Amino acid sequence: MIKWGRLTMFIVLVVMIFAIVISTSSKLYSKIPLGLDLQGGFTVLYQVGNSNQVLTANDMSATVAALENRVNEIGVSEPSIEVENGNRISVSLAGQFNQVSARSFLSKEANLVFKSPQGKILMTGKDLESNAHYESDPTTGAPEVVVQFKNPALFQQVTQTYLHQPVSIWLNNKMIDNPVIQDVITNGQATISGSSSAQSAIQLAQLLNAGALPFPLHELSSTSVGPTLGQAALHSTLLAGAIGVSLIFLFMILMYRLPGLIAVVALVAYSYVLIAVFAGMQVTLTLTGLAALVLGIGMAVDANIITYERIKDELRNGKSLQSSVILGQRKAIRTILDSNITTLIAGIVMYIYGTGDVRGFAVALIASILVSLLTAVFLSRTLLLQFTKANVVKNTWLFGVRRKAVNSQ
């Protein structure tokens, strides 16, 4: 006799899973940050200061902070700036931006000083607010950079002291302007002229806002991926993943029939939860991460295969369908846990001792294992039990075992 309550519950669960997946998966996927190998970008390794220069942890932190300010000025989100081997810093930027200009901007010096006619340093770039901006001269149209001093009283004192005298402006030991103070300025605002173009004035304003680098940066190595190449790599990887997953689904349905179909539902849920985890934790997805996700699907389906083979063994031993499902799942869980725990240990070790892409692969692998335990094991188990207890199907062929094989025991 069919138990309509359990069958209804099974159908509701399946419909809910597909409804949630279809309606929200694309939105979740769009929130996952992509690595530079998937959307283009570059990685640059800098040596901070000279090779024989001894730098403290505070020196490196100050340099990282200056680089972060410059990245913010470029407008690139989710940068990766890491200190390596004591006096080296790795900067990775991903996204759509001018890579040549960005690389030049990151390491460019911005030592700004204001000097008296006698060469005495009166003020530096540190005395400026971080709101420098480009304007064109209303009379000549020449590009200018408008700056605001943090302490207007200091600038007022300078303009009073050197009234009708030139106060030169130097950028990176090169004089870029030598204006004569015409009036006492009380509001702390000044303009810097001498830029060759509007673009150079804009870049000067960005450099002043980002602040000077505490130490010079020397580029040791770099790798870059163009946006088009990154998109092509993403498309190829997603296509390969879709083909692989489709073949897995087909294999499960052909080999295990109804349980295989339920495994497909669980794998769809697994993929969705994994996307949600990546989007929620803002885990950057790279090519190696995608490879780990596809590998995770294979591991998740392993759990189902182990369970279904145990169920088939019980059916061949003459057990009822419901008893076979319960006993098969009970006998398989230990093997599934052991298998996943050993892989989890390998993933943790890779994360602790690995760097770069290896760590990205490890994060994706660990997340895949944990999510597969929730969906491919417990969700699949719940759905299969609900369906079996509904008493809709009694033919063991639909569970991958021919009736003749059952009767022969």
Side-chain angles (χ1 to χ4, degrees), residues 165-177:
Q165 297 181 54
V167 172
S168 56
I169 303 173
W170 297 70
L171 180 66
N172 301 330
N173 300 319
K174 180 182 177 182
M175 188 172 71
I176 60 172
D177 201 3

Side-chain angles (χ1 to χ4, degrees), residues 71-391:
V71 171
N72 290 336
E73 288 293 326
I74 296 171
V76 177
S77 60
E78 305 294 338
S80 172
I81 304 175
E82 297 180 351
V83 176
E84 296 183 1
N85 298 327
N87 64 342
R88 295 181 177 182
I89 292 178
S90 171
V91 180
S92 297
L93 302 182
Q96 305 284 334
F97 57 90
N98 187 324
Q99 295 189 18
V100 176
S101 175
R103 284 175 59 176
S104 169
F105 182 73
L106 283 178
S107 59
K108 197 167 186 176
E109 303 254 358
N111 295 317
L112 183 75
V113 295
F114 296 77
K115 292 184 179 179
S116 70
Q118 296 76 29
K120 178 185 177 184
I121 295 177
L122 304 173
M123 296 167 292
T124 70
K126 294 181 179 178
D127 294 313
L128 300 177
E129 297 279 6
S130 299
N131 60 356
H133 59 277
Y134 156 78
E135 282 186 3
S136 62
D137 186 287
T139 305
T140 65
E144 295 179 339
V145 176
V146 179
V147 297
Q148 176 72 43
F149 285 90
K150 296 176 182 175
N151 184 0
L154 173 63
F155 190 49
Q156 180 179 351
Q157 182 184 357
V158 169
T159 54
Q160 277 179 335
T161 304
Y162 297 96
L163 187 63
H164 304 306
Q165 297 181 54
V167 172
S168 56
I169 303 173
W170 297 70
L171 180 66
N172 301 330
N173 300 319
K174 180 182 177 182
M175 188 172 71
I176 60 172
D177 201 3
N178 191 29
V180 176
I181 304 298
Q182 300 293 346
D183 297 296
V184 176
I185 301 174
T186 58
N187 62 1
Q189 192 175 80
T191 58
I192 302 174
S193 57
S195 297
S196 59
S197 64
Q199 184 59 38
S200 63
I202 292 172
Q203 192 175 67
L204 174 58
Q206 290 176 326
L207 283 169
L208 293 177
N209 292 336
L213 291 167
F215 302 95
L217 298 180
H218 306 284
E219 186 174 317
L220 297 177
S221 63
S222 66
T223 57
S224 64
V225 177
T228 305
L229 185 61
Q231 286 298 316
L234 176 60
H235 176 75
S236 301
T237 308
L238 288 177
L239 179 62
I243 293 173
V245 170
S246 300
L247 291 175
I248 289 173
F249 287 178
L250 187 63
F251 173 82
M252 292 300 294
I253 293 172
L254 291 177
M255 285 296 296
Y256 300 101
R257 301 184 178 100
L258 276 176
L261 203 56
I262 291 174
V264 169
V265 176
L267 287 172
V268 170
Y270 159 83
S271 303
Y272 175 81
V273 173
L274 208 51
I275 291 173
V277 169
F278 270 62
M281 297 177 65
Q282 287 293 285
V283 177
T284 301
L285 190 61
T286 62
L287 275 176
T288 52
L290 271 175
L293 294 183
V294 176
L295 177 64
I297 292 177
M299 294 180 61
V301 85
D302 272 353
N304 293 108
I305 289 175
I306 292 170
T307 302
Y308 298 160
E309 288 298 330
R310 296 289 185 274
I311 292 173
K312 287 167 75 174
D313 288 343
E314 298 300 327
L315 286 172
R316 292 189 188 101
N317 289 333
K319 298 282 194 312
S320 68
L321 202 57
Q322 189 170 323
S323 298
S324 298
V325 169
I326 294 172
L327 287 172
Q329 289 178 337
R330 188 179 300 164
K331 290 181 178 178
I333 189 68
R334 179 62 183 271
T335 305
I336 294 169
L337 288 177
D338 289 348
S339 170
N340 281 277
I341 287 172
T342 52
T343 310
L344 186 64
I345 291 171
I348 292 172
V349 172
M350 278 196 293
Y351 180 80
I352 293 174
Y353 293 101
T355 58
D357 289 345
V358 175
R359 295 190 80 180
F361 181 87
V363 169
L365 185 63
I366 292 170
S368 301
I369 294 168
L370 296 178
V371 174
S372 73
L373 287 175
L374 287 175
T375 57
V377 177
F378 298 108
L379 177 62
S380 177
R381 177 189 179 122
T382 302
L383 289 174
L384 187 58
L385 271 177
Q386 281 292 331
F387 184 77
T388 307
K389 290 181 177 179
N391 209 23

